[in-house]
Amino acid sequence: MPIDGSCKWHFQANQELIAASSLSVRNTVITLESLSKEDKRPTIPLGHGDPTAFPGFQTTVAAEDAIVDAVRSAKYSSYCKSLQGLLPARRAVAEYLSRDLPYKLSPDHVFLTAGCKQAIEYITAVLARPNANILLPRPGFPDYNAHAALCHIEIRIFDLLPEKGWEVDLEAVEAVADDNTVAMVIINPGNPCGNVYTRLHLMKVAEAARKLGIIVIADEVYAHLNFGENPFVPMGAFASIAPVVTLGSISKRWLVPGWRIGWLVTNDPNDILRKTGVMSSMRTLYIYSSEPATFIQGALPDILIKTKVEFFAKIIRILRDTAGICYAKIKEIPCFTCPYKPQGAMFMTVKLNLALLEGIHDDTEFCVKLAREESVVVLPGMAVGLKNWLRITYAVEPSALEEGLERIRVFCQRHSKK
Ligand SMILES: *Cc1c(COP(=O)(O)O)cnc(C)c1O
């Protein structure tokens, strides 16, 4: 206990939280952006996951109108009167997701959350029991690690395989799992790698989960943001093999991460989650937690139904172009290898060949020096569990992206071994 003169204080900060914060995309990006302020040129942000500062990445008027109408209707100023979220909003999510599934979801399967982040928090809390462990991907999304740590769920890591399109190493999954494993997480389309899994691979993931007796938590926050040869297939398509909990939101596809609305959806035609108490536990959690803002829930059906395909098509076109620019330019820089041309989401991961660089010893040092000398922010792989790699965001105005990549090229040239 910390002792301070006259008093012995009996509290201390939660150490798990402090340990978990070492892995954080947000903290790392903020720190790097503050470094780049030393330069006179405008900072080029290629480390973020929120492109809404750029004029090309604005949401659709249909979504804005839905919010205005919901607020003006004066129907949504109260607390949310239904436990998992307003029924019309849950019904709209069930219908939206059912379009891609071989069965129909009901609103009972939908739990509305303040973005996908809160869905991560909730599913982790519900699965926490003494001695439980969870299988998380490397590279991955640090929120899963942080919430598992906070809930005292042991984290077991499995790798994604760069030479196989960042597919899950299923042998590793089986090797690290045991009778206390409760779930595995997959992110598709992938953050940080921009990969999109094939139907066959997703089926193999489901079969592995069935063999191990665990849930698949499918983070599909980038659903439909795919532009390569693999189509987007929801993990829920294989829920008859093993139960799937799908997490998603409108943050990325509609370019409104600040609106904070998402969902946790149970895909479970065999009713395993009800039989094991997961469904009732989820509902109990809602008695004590706060739903997303009621007017956002009120607007959700219109947002999902009235958004025009042209809006989605435009965003996909931009991402396909910027991903292409990024991949082509990265391939020209000798100290980078990129094993995979991104097919979805907003990112690609590139490997640093440190042997070709002078005076740079790891990914963090690379990013710090790059921010200081060139005012370009990219994310060190460490923040997503992958040391000596970088995550580069291409969801950026094309002119800024080209300028940023050119500065990176110049930086690498200046620091390369003579
Ligand atoms: C952005 C992101 C989230 C968080 O989504 P919100 O809806 O903004 O909470 C969750 N998972 C992954 C993989 C993400 O990239």
Side-chain angles (χ1 to χ4, degrees):
M1 274 323 128
I3 298 174
D4 148 36
S6 59
C7 188
K8 183 174 168 209
W9 302 108
H10 287 264
F11 56 86
Q12 223 188 3
N14 181 339
Q15 296 303 308
E16 328 267 348
L17 185 61
I18 292 167
S21 75
S22 66
L23 267 184
S24 157
V25 173
R26 201 188 272 183
N27 275 352
T28 312
V29 169
I30 291 171
T31 311
L32 290 169
E33 279 174 356
S34 73
L35 293 179
S36 64
K37 298 282 177 290
E38 295 167 15
D39 197 323
K40 294 277 182 297
R41 293 172 294 177
T43 301
I44 299 191
L46 306 180
H48 59 91
D50 177 355
T52 57
F54 297 100
F57 292 89
Q58 300 303 300
T59 194
T60 166
V61 177
E64 294 170 356
D65 286 346
I67 296 285
V68 172
D69 292 349
V71 173
R72 289 257 159 83
S73 75
K75 287 196 301 200
Y76 303 109
S77 302
S78 59
Y79 278 119
C80 174
K81 293 201 178 73
S82 157
L83 257 196
Q84 302 167 212
L86 293 178
L87 182 60
R90 284 189 284 124
R91 189 179 291 128
V93 172
E95 282 169 10
Y96 170 68
L97 297 177
S98 294
R99 288 181 210 161
D100 302 316
L101 293 171
Y103 53 89
K104 260 188 104 52
L105 292 164
S106 104
D108 290 347
H109 300 131
V110 178
F111 298 82
L112 295 181
T113 56
C116 185
K117 274 177 169 265
Q118 196 179 47
I120 296 171
E121 203 177 311
Y122 284 2
I123 190 60
T124 314
V126 160
L127 294 178
R129 60 150 171 81
N131 302 318
N133 68 67
I134 189 166
L135 312 183
L136 300 182
R138 175 174 59 205
F141 188 66
D143 282 49
Y144 290 95
N145 307 61
H147 286 290
L150 277 174
C151 292
H152 304 283
I153 301 183
E154 185 197 332
I155 296 166
R156 297 194 179 175
I157 298 291
F158 60 87
D159 283 314
L160 305 183
L161 303 169
E163 65 284 3
K164 287 192 164 176
W166 297 105
E167 282 186 352
V168 174
D169 182 350
L170 289 167
E171 282 172 27
V173 164
E174 293 192 20
V176 294
D178 63 16
D179 290 346
N180 283 318
T181 305
V182 293
M184 67 182 286
V185 171
I186 65 156
I187 304 172
N188 183 49
N191 178 7
C193 301
N195 54 298
V196 178
Y197 290 140
T198 61
R199 176 173 281 279
L200 179 64
H201 185 62
L202 294 172
M203 192 170 84
K204 287 185 181 162
V205 168
E207 281 165 355
R210 182 182 183 86
K211 195 164 158 195
L212 299 170
I214 64 177
I215 296 173
V216 180
I217 298 173
D219 184 325
E220 294 177 357
V221 77
Y222 295 99
H224 299 288
L225 286 179
N226 56 294
F227 41 79
E229 64 181 298
N230 295 346
F232 168 69
V233 179
M235 188 70 217
F238 305 99
S240 58
I241 302 176
V244 174
V245 172
T246 301
L247 315 183
S249 76
I250 64 169
S251 301
K252 309 287 163 73
R253 193 180 188 199
W254 273 264
L255 300 166
V256 287
W259 290 10
R260 311 310 304 137
I261 184 129
W263 48 78
L264 182 160
V265 174
T266 54
N267 296 262
D268 184 27
N270 301 324
D271 228 12
I272 295 156
L273 298 174
R274 189 181 54 79
K275 291 177 201 153
T276 51
V278 172
M279 292 301 280
S280 63
S281 194
M282 270 305 297
R283 295 201 177 96
T284 309
L285 187 60
Y286 269 80
I287 300 175
Y288 304 108
S289 48
S290 119
E291 282 92 0
T294 315
F295 70 88
I296 306 277
Q297 297 187 47
L300 191 57
D302 273 1
I303 295 174
L304 296 182
I305 294 159
K306 293 192 177 167
T307 300
K308 299 246 176 15
V309 289
E310 289 77 17
F311 167 73
F312 297 133
K314 184 188 91 175
I315 301 302
I316 289 299
R317 216 162 42 237
I318 297 174
L319 289 174
R320 183 186 291 123
D321 287 352
T322 55
I325 294 171
C326 199
Y327 184 71
K329 190 84 184 178
I330 289 298
K331 279 207 339 197
E332 284 173 13
I333 303 177
C335 66
F336 291 154
T337 350
C338 181
Y340 182 85
K341 184 169 183 202
Q343 296 199 23
M346 303 175 171
F347 319 97
M348 62 189 281
T349 14
V350 305
K351 189 165 192 229
L352 267 178
N353 304 331
L354 290 165
L356 300 182
L357 293 167
E358 190 84 63
I360 293 178
H361 303 95
D362 63 24
D363 52 340
T364 306
E365 193 177 7
F366 182 96
C367 294
V368 167
K369 289 190 167 162
L370 179 69
R372 284 219 170 99
E373 296 173 24
E374 298 288 343
S375 282
V376 176
V377 175
V378 300
L379 191 74
M382 266 315 279
V384 290
L386 212 53
K387 194 168 169 56
N388 295 337
W389 289 67
L390 306 172
R391 185 190 78 174
I392 302 180
T393 307
Y394 46 75
V396 179
E397 215 63 26
S399 57
L401 180 63
E402 300 211 31
E403 165 80 23
L405 292 165
E406 177 57 18
R407 290 190 204 171
I408 295 175
R409 191 190 64 76
V410 169
F411 173 85
C412 290
Q413 199 168 36
R414 189 164 64 243
H415 289 274
S416 64
K417 282 207 175 121
K418 298 293 168 302

